[in-house]
Amino acid sequence: GLPDDQIQKGKDIKSISEIVQDGKKFKITVTTGSKVLHNEFTIGEECEMEMLTGEKVKAVVQLEGNNKLVANLKGLKSVTELNGDTITNTMTMGDLTYKRISKRI
């Protein structure tokens, strides 16, 4: 539902994700231009997370296997898979899917 120029801006913008793990505790910081999104959570415990829109929602993040973080945020399913130097983030809402593949720098 976005205009083509807005879609292209989203494709062109670069972001940097920092993931810090301490046992079951995670700190994730995503910097996109001047916007910084910071979330902290403990696997299996309810937390408050900020969505891309700035809205804060309650969620529980689960660990599937030893490399997939899975969360459901207000109808949005987020799966972040860590494989070596590659992070694959897939977000699904209804029949819409967004997939981003990042590499370690």
Side-chain angles (χ1 to χ4, degrees):
L2 290 174
D4 288 344
D5 65 324
Q6 292 284 3
I7 292 171
Q8 191 57 48
K9 282 182 186 177
K11 288 180 178 180
D12 291 342
I13 198 162
K14 303 288 183 202
S15 69
I16 296 176
S17 300
E18 179 183 5
I19 301 173
V20 177
Q21 180 182 4
D22 181 12
K24 290 185 168 189
K25 294 182 180 186
F26 285 79
K27 293 180 183 178
I28 298 180
T29 304
V30 180
T31 305
T32 307
S34 61
K35 177 149 178 66
V36 178
L37 188 67
H38 181 77
N39 286 307
E40 294 186 29
F41 58 88
T42 301
I43 298 296
E45 295 182 12
E46 186 177 71
C47 64
E48 186 175 81
M49 298 187 84
E50 184 178 357
M51 298 181 65
L52 295 172
T53 60
E55 180 181 5
K56 294 188 180 193
V57 297
K58 300 272 186 203
V60 176
V61 180
Q62 300 292 348
L63 182 64
E64 289 185 4
N66 61 357
N67 67 334
K68 278 187 188 177
L69 299 171
V70 180
N72 288 296
L73 310 156
K74 201 175 175 182
L76 173 76
K77 182 177 182 179
S78 174
V79 179
T80 302
E81 186 172 358
L82 308 154
N83 282 316
D85 288 343
T86 303
I87 299 172
T88 303
N89 179 244
T90 306
M91 291 188 279
T92 307
M93 180 177 268
D95 59 354
L96 297 174
T97 300
Y98 162 88
K99 185 174 185 178
R100 180 176 71 192
I101 300 172
S102 304
K103 62 181 179 178
R104 186 183 303 266
I105 55 172

